[in-house]
PDB file of all heavy atoms in Angstrom:
ATOM      1  N   LEU A  66     -20.376 -19.328  -7.261  1.00  0.00           N
ATOM      2  CA  LEU A  66     -19.213 -18.796  -7.949  1.00  0.00           C
ATOM      3  C   LEU A  66     -18.369 -19.940  -8.492  1.00  0.00           C
ATOM      4  O   LEU A  66     -18.042 -20.872  -7.783  1.00  0.00           O
ATOM      5  CB  LEU A  66     -18.378 -17.927  -7.002  1.00  0.00           C
ATOM      6  CG  LEU A  66     -17.164 -17.241  -7.594  1.00  0.00           C
ATOM      7  CD1 LEU A  66     -17.586 -16.255  -8.683  1.00  0.00           C
ATOM      8  CD2 LEU A  66     -16.389 -16.506  -6.517  1.00  0.00           C
ATOM      9  N   GLY A  67     -18.052 -19.841  -9.771  1.00  0.00           N
ATOM     10  CA  GLY A  67     -17.193 -20.827 -10.420  1.00  0.00           C
ATOM     11  C   GLY A  67     -15.810 -20.237 -10.617  1.00  0.00           C
ATOM     12  O   GLY A  67     -15.323 -19.484  -9.778  1.00  0.00           O
ATOM     13  N   PRO A  68     -15.179 -20.532 -11.759  1.00  0.00           N
ATOM     14  CA  PRO A  68     -13.857 -19.963 -12.026  1.00  0.00           C
ATOM     15  C   PRO A  68     -13.911 -18.442 -12.064  1.00  0.00           C
ATOM     16  O   PRO A  68     -14.909 -17.853 -12.477  1.00  0.00           O
ATOM     17  CB  PRO A  68     -13.497 -20.515 -13.406  1.00  0.00           C
ATOM     18  CG  PRO A  68     -14.391 -21.680 -13.618  1.00  0.00           C
ATOM     19  CD  PRO A  68     -15.619 -21.423 -12.821  1.00  0.00           C
ATOM     20  N   CYS A  69     -12.841 -17.804 -11.627  1.00  0.00           N
ATOM     21  CA  CYS A  69     -12.774 -16.348 -11.641  1.00  0.00           C
ATOM     22  C   CYS A  69     -11.317 -15.917 -11.722  1.00  0.00           C
ATOM     23  O   CYS A  69     -10.417 -16.708 -11.481  1.00  0.00           O
ATOM     24  CB  CYS A  69     -13.445 -15.740 -10.418  1.00  0.00           C
ATOM     25  SG  CYS A  69     -12.769 -16.294  -8.856  1.00  0.00           S
ATOM     26  N   GLY A  70     -11.107 -14.662 -12.084  1.00  0.00           N
ATOM     27  CA  GLY A  70      -9.747 -14.162 -12.199  1.00  0.00           C
ATOM     28  C   GLY A  70      -9.730 -12.662 -12.395  1.00  0.00           C
ATOM     29  O   GLY A  70     -10.780 -12.002 -12.370  1.00  0.00           O
ATOM     30  N   ILE A  71      -8.541 -12.143 -12.621  1.00  0.00           N
ATOM     31  CA  ILE A  71      -8.371 -10.703 -12.772  1.00  0.00           C
ATOM     32  C   ILE A  71      -7.360 -10.465 -13.884  1.00  0.00           C
ATOM     33  O   ILE A  71      -6.438 -11.253 -14.077  1.00  0.00           O
ATOM     34  CB  ILE A  71      -7.931 -10.071 -11.435  1.00  0.00           C
ATOM     35  CG1 ILE A  71      -8.044  -8.566 -11.474  1.00  0.00           C
ATOM     36  CG2 ILE A  71      -6.554 -10.512 -11.049  1.00  0.00           C
ATOM     37  CD1 ILE A  71      -7.949  -7.917 -10.108  1.00  0.00           C
ATOM     38  N   SER A  72      -7.559  -9.380 -14.619  1.00  0.00           N
ATOM     39  CA  SER A  72      -6.685  -9.051 -15.733  1.00  0.00           C
ATOM     40  C   SER A  72      -6.476  -7.550 -15.788  1.00  0.00           C
ATOM     41  O   SER A  72      -7.327  -6.779 -15.350  1.00  0.00           O
ATOM     42  CB  SER A  72      -7.313  -9.546 -17.034  1.00  0.00           C
ATOM     43  OG  SER A  72      -6.552  -9.152 -18.136  1.00  0.00           O
ATOM     44  N   SER A  73      -5.362  -7.134 -16.369  1.00  0.00           N
ATOM     45  CA  SER A  73      -5.108  -5.700 -16.495  1.00  0.00           C
ATOM     46  C   SER A  73      -5.762  -5.119 -17.745  1.00  0.00           C
ATOM     47  O   SER A  73      -5.837  -3.907 -17.887  1.00  0.00           O
ATOM     48  CB  SER A  73      -3.603  -5.430 -16.519  1.00  0.00           C
ATOM     49  OG  SER A  73      -3.026  -6.089 -17.623  1.00  0.00           O
ATOM     50  N   GLY A  74      -6.254  -5.963 -18.639  1.00  0.00           N
ATOM     51  CA  GLY A  74      -6.883  -5.471 -19.865  1.00  0.00           C
ATOM     52  C   GLY A  74      -8.293  -5.997 -20.030  1.00  0.00           C
ATOM     53  O   GLY A  74      -8.593  -7.151 -19.698  1.00  0.00           O
ATOM     54  N   GLN A  75      -9.180  -5.171 -20.569  1.00  0.00           N
ATOM     55  CA  GLN A  75     -10.570  -5.562 -20.760  1.00  0.00           C
ATOM     56  C   GLN A  75     -10.684  -6.684 -21.787  1.00  0.00           C
ATOM     57  O   GLN A  75     -11.431  -7.643 -21.589  1.00  0.00           O
ATOM     58  CB  GLN A  75     -11.389  -4.353 -21.202  1.00  0.00           C
ATOM     59  CG  GLN A  75     -12.838  -4.687 -21.483  1.00  0.00           C
ATOM     60  CD  GLN A  75     -13.625  -3.479 -21.960  1.00  0.00           C
ATOM     61  OE1 GLN A  75     -13.363  -2.369 -21.550  1.00  0.00           O
ATOM     62  NE2 GLN A  75     -14.581  -3.702 -22.829  1.00  0.00           N
ATOM     63  N   ALA A  76      -9.977  -6.599 -22.895  1.00  0.00           N
ATOM     64  CA  ALA A  76     -10.058  -7.617 -23.947  1.00  0.00           C
ATOM     65  C   ALA A  76      -9.583  -8.976 -23.434  1.00  0.00           C
ATOM     66  O   ALA A  76     -10.197 -10.010 -23.736  1.00  0.00           O
ATOM     67  CB  ALA A  76      -9.239  -7.191 -25.149  1.00  0.00           C
ATOM     68  N   THR A  77      -8.537  -8.985 -22.639  1.00  0.00           N
ATOM     69  CA  THR A  77      -8.031 -10.238 -22.070  1.00  0.00           C
ATOM     70  C   THR A  77      -9.050 -10.847 -21.130  1.00  0.00           C
ATOM     71  O   THR A  77      -9.270 -12.055 -21.141  1.00  0.00           O
ATOM     72  CB  THR A  77      -6.707  -9.982 -21.324  1.00  0.00           C
ATOM     73  OG1 THR A  77      -5.805  -9.319 -22.201  1.00  0.00           O
ATOM     74  CG2 THR A  77      -6.089 -11.260 -20.835  1.00  0.00           C
ATOM     75  N   ALA A  78      -9.686 -10.023 -20.324  1.00  0.00           N
ATOM     76  CA  ALA A  78     -10.717 -10.519 -19.400  1.00  0.00           C
ATOM     77  C   ALA A  78     -11.895 -11.100 -20.173  1.00  0.00           C
ATOM     78  O   ALA A  78     -12.428 -12.146 -19.804  1.00  0.00           O
ATOM     79  CB  ALA A  78     -11.184  -9.395 -18.480  1.00  0.00           C
ATOM     80  N   MET A  79     -12.295 -10.443 -21.266  1.00  0.00           N
ATOM     81  CA  MET A  79     -13.407 -10.942 -22.074  1.00  0.00           C
ATOM     82  C   MET A  79     -13.054 -12.274 -22.732  1.00  0.00           C
ATOM     83  O   MET A  79     -13.870 -13.202 -22.752  1.00  0.00           O
ATOM     84  CB  MET A  79     -13.811  -9.909 -23.123  1.00  0.00           C
ATOM     85  CG  MET A  79     -14.455  -8.675 -22.527  1.00  0.00           C
ATOM     86  SD  MET A  79     -14.834  -7.420 -23.754  1.00  0.00           S
ATOM     87  CE  MET A  79     -16.376  -8.052 -24.407  1.00  0.00           C
ATOM     88  N   ASP A  80     -11.843 -12.398 -23.258  1.00  0.00           N
ATOM     89  CA  ASP A  80     -11.411 -13.649 -23.887  1.00  0.00           C
ATOM     90  C   ASP A  80     -11.356 -14.792 -22.885  1.00  0.00           C
ATOM     91  O   ASP A  80     -11.794 -15.914 -23.171  1.00  0.00           O
ATOM     92  CB  ASP A  80     -10.036 -13.479 -24.539  1.00  0.00           C
ATOM     93  CG  ASP A  80     -10.083 -12.646 -25.804  1.00  0.00           C
ATOM     94  OD1 ASP A  80     -11.193 -12.482 -26.369  1.00  0.00           O
ATOM     95  OD2 ASP A  80      -9.026 -12.152 -26.224  1.00  0.00           O
TER      96      ASP A  80
END
Side-chain angles (χ1 to χ4, degrees):
L66 183 63
C69 58
I71 193 166
S72 175
S73 61
Q75 177 182 327
T77 307
M79 291 176 81
D80 287 342

